[in-house]
Amino acid sequence: MAQSVTVDKILDAAEILFAEKGFSETSLRMITSNAGVNLAAVNYHFGSKNALIQAIFSRFLGPLTTLMEQGMAEKGWSQKDENAPLLEDILKLYTRSLLKIPTSHPNGVSVFMRLMGLAYTQSQGHLRRYLEDEYSRIFRLLMHFVKQSTPNLSTAERFWRIQFTMGSVAFTMSSIQPLTEILEDSKKAQANPEQVVNFLVPYLLAGLTSEPVDAVAIN
Amino acid sequence: MAQSVTVDKILDAAEILFAEKGFSETSLRMITSNAGVNLAAVNYHFGSKNALIQAIFSRFLGPLTTLMEQGMAEKGWSQKDENAPLLEDILKLYTRSLLKIPTSHPNGVSVFMRLMGLAYTQSQGHLRRYLEDEYSRIFRLLMHFVKQSTPNLSTAERFWRIQFTMGSVAFTMSSIQPLTEILEDSKKAQANPEQVVNFLVPYLLAGLTSEPVDAVAIN
DNA sequence: GAGTGTTTTAAACATACGTTTGGAAGCTTT
DNA sequence: AAAGCTTCCAAACGTATGTTTAAAACACTC
């Protein structure tokens, strides 16, 4: 199980293919032939296709959560603390952490951004369970801060605004732009991740902090 | 090819299953057994699984585009017109049209909202081609109005803001909430489509109309 | 009610998939 | 260099999939 060359070749190839085509639409034969390894290698090294999918997610979700926890610690955020962080800082913590990963990562940011989006939309039961088991703690913590920093929102409106926000993020991450090729400007708007995040954060912030529709909650 | 009972039973069952599990994850055997028809019925009536998928999309995309074109006509919007419609009205036209469909539709709004989301995220080549062929006209028209009504945005920033917006919409429509079950409040926030749209439109509007990051473009 | 076209049915077909197998090849340790 | 472990490989396995077939059942016209 030690970091073999084959394991990495499989991970690199699978990551790209999954991001391009989705999980069910990508076969082990495509992956192994792209990776230049034997078909049986996946089952030998990972056990199953599902386990491979999970391995791919932990390869970047591990570093991501580490970076975010470090960031929270540096800023002195704590669950106990009464003072809420600024919403803008929460968003920035997330996006900055995301942008920090790829230096060590073979396939660039956009690939696992797209994977992140797939994790939401492809309903793969095993993946959902795995992600909940492994990463729900940091997710809940983040949500705690969001809740703290938006006290003027009703529970329902906050829930939906978070939903909308995650939608933007997840979708933006699908840089493959399935339908949106129709937009004539899609070629002009080059997909430099940092630039995109520059646009994204203010956009989200405006939506999240806009005047509530609901009656203000006591919370 | 006339509207047979079998055809409708297949469409109704397939719609729900596709929305729940995705296209590749739903087999013709699931569909036909849920619909209570013979396995061969799909190929007999539709020709192929892909054709069935397309048929499902035209069943609600047809009415949707009709409603939107009617709405545009009523408001007197025209491609030639110099006066841009309000961004808010564009969004409302879309969401209101969406909410108007289900009266005639067997499976409620949220099902084809979810399908709409799938259309973006599942990259099914044939679907993309089909949607582009059939519905790119109305889509481009809509984008024309959006461009008109946001003259202060640079091409790049407008592109990305539209991208973010479509992400929110597509994702919101996936009401199955894969990962978001983690949000404790997900049960409290009942998914009444009209209420969701009430939250959604102002949220999107705030993001779209917020102060540009880019230098203002001449356009 | 015989004849004609349409729809339904059970069965089979071909193919692609994830997984397993048993032996060969490659290392490392002795 | 033999032994023991790990990794690789070609082949096969079982299963599930979309699709096709040919006959049966049905519906309707004349």
Side-chain angles (χ1 to χ4, degrees):
Chain A
M1 188 50 92
Q3 209 74 325
S4 89
V5 183
T6 305
V7 166
D8 284 334
K9 283 200 283 189
I10 292 173
L11 285 173
D12 293 346
E15 202 171 60
I16 294 175
L17 283 169
F18 283 145
E20 269 176 10
K21 313 169 99 64
F23 303 117
S24 310
E25 294 81 1
T26 303
S27 71
L28 292 185
R29 282 167 177 82
M30 293 182 204
I31 295 172
T32 50
S33 78
N34 271 31
V37 303
N38 187 272
L39 166 62
V42 170
N43 286 278
Y44 176 76
H45 285 286
F46 297 92
S48 69
K49 184 182 180 180
N50 282 351
L52 168 61
I53 294 174
Q54 295 172 8
I56 287 197
F57 275 89
S58 29
R59 186 161 72 145
F60 76 86
L61 245 30
L64 179 66
T65 52
T66 305
L67 282 169
M68 292 188 59
E69 280 166 354
Q70 282 175 2
M72 289 177 184
E74 280 171 20
K75 294 181 204 307
W77 298 354
S78 147
Q79 183 124 27
K80 315 270 178 184
D81 206 335
E82 298 279 319
N83 309 6
L86 285 178
L87 205 48
E88 179 168 9
D89 291 333
I90 300 177
L91 286 177
K92 278 186 184 166
L93 173 65
Y94 170 69
T95 53
R96 295 245 172 90
S97 304
L98 211 51
L99 290 174
K100 262 186 213 158
I101 304 181
T103 50
S104 66
H105 208 84
N107 296 329
V109 215
S110 36
V111 167
F112 61 76
M113 281 191 161
R114 163 83 177 160
L115 285 173
M116 197 85 191
L118 282 186
Y120 286 105
T121 51
Q122 309 249 123
S123 59
Q124 300 263 1
H126 72 97
L127 223 198
R128 176 159 63 228
R129 254 170 283 128
Y130 169 76
L131 293 176
E132 278 179 15
D133 287 351
E134 297 291 315
Y135 301 103
S136 64
R137 212 193 83 261
I138 179 99
F139 187 77
R140 281 181 218 276
L141 186 56
L142 212 60
M143 288 308 128
H144 168 79
F145 291 134
V146 172
K147 188 167 185 173
Q148 255 192 339
S149 59
T150 54
N152 61 325
L153 293 180
S154 72
T155 303
E157 188 154 17
R158 183 187 303 111
F159 168 81
W160 282 108
R161 286 193 180 184
I162 292 174
Q163 193 82 349
F164 304 151
T165 304
M166 295 207 300
S168 286
V169 176
F171 191 71
T172 304
M173 292 169 170
S174 342
S175 53
I176 290 186
Q177 302 145 352
L179 244 180
T180 53
E181 285 169 358
I182 299 176
L183 289 172
E184 305 126 11
D185 301 331
S186 63
K187 270 113 198 171
K188 299 181 204 155
Q190 82 295 14
N192 170 358
E194 278 132 40
Q195 178 71 342
V196 174
V197 165
N198 263 358
F199 289 145
L200 178 59
V201 171
Y203 174 94
L204 295 177
L205 210 55
L208 284 170
T209 59
S210 66
E211 192 66 15
V213 176
D214 249 11
V216 180
I218 333 271
N219 202 355
Chain B
M1 187 51 90
Q3 208 73 326
S4 89
V5 183
T6 305
V7 166
D8 285 333
K9 282 200 284 190
I10 292 174
L11 284 172
D12 294 346
E15 201 171 60
I16 294 174
L17 283 168
F18 284 145
E20 269 176 11
K21 313 169 98 64
F23 304 116
S24 310
E25 294 81 1
T26 303
S27 71
L28 292 186
R29 283 167 177 81
M30 293 180 202
I31 294 172
T32 50
S33 77
N34 271 31
V37 303
N38 187 273
L39 166 63
V42 169
N43 286 279
Y44 176 75
H45 286 284
F46 296 92
S48 69
K49 183 183 180 180
N50 282 352
L52 168 62
I53 294 174
Q54 294 172 9
I56 287 195
F57 274 89
S58 27
R59 186 161 72 145
F60 76 85
L61 245 32
L64 178 67
T65 52
T66 305
L67 282 169
M68 292 188 60
E69 279 166 354
Q70 282 175 1
M72 289 177 184
E74 281 170 20
K75 293 181 205 306
W77 297 354
S78 147
Q79 184 125 26
K80 314 271 178 183
D81 205 337
E82 297 279 318
N83 310 7
L86 286 178
L87 206 49
E88 179 167 8
D89 291 334
I90 300 176
L91 286 178
K92 278 187 183 164
L93 173 65
Y94 171 68
T95 53
R96 295 245 171 91
S97 305
L98 211 52
L99 290 175
K100 263 188 211 156
I101 304 180
T103 50
S104 66
H105 208 84
N107 295 330
V109 216
S110 35
V111 167
F112 62 75
M113 280 192 161
R114 164 83 177 159
L115 285 174
M116 198 84 191
L118 282 186
Y120 285 105
T121 50
Q122 311 254 118
S123 59
Q124 300 263 359
H126 71 96
L127 223 197
R128 175 158 64 228
R129 256 171 282 128
Y130 169 76
L131 293 176
E132 277 179 15
D133 288 351
E134 297 291 314
Y135 301 103
S136 64
R137 215 195 80 261
I138 179 99
F139 187 78
R140 279 182 218 275
L141 186 55
L142 212 61
M143 286 308 128
H144 168 78
F145 291 133
V146 171
K147 189 166 184 173
Q148 255 193 339
S149 59
T150 54
N152 61 324
L153 293 181
S154 73
T155 303
E157 186 154 18
R158 185 188 302 111
F159 168 81
W160 282 108
R161 286 194 179 182
I162 292 174
Q163 194 83 348
F164 305 152
T165 304
M166 296 207 299
S168 285
V169 175
F171 190 71
T172 304
M173 291 170 171
S174 337
S175 52
I176 289 186
Q177 300 145 353
L179 244 181
T180 53
E181 285 168 358
I182 299 177
L183 288 171
E184 306 125 11
D185 301 332
S186 62
K187 270 109 196 174
K188 298 181 203 156
Q190 81 295 13
N192 170 359
E194 278 132 39
Q195 177 71 342
V196 174
V197 165
N198 262 358
F199 288 144
L200 178 60
V201 172
Y203 173 94
L204 295 177
L205 210 55
L208 284 169
T209 60
S210 65
E211 192 68 15
V213 176
D214 248 11
V216 180
I218 333 271
N219 201 357

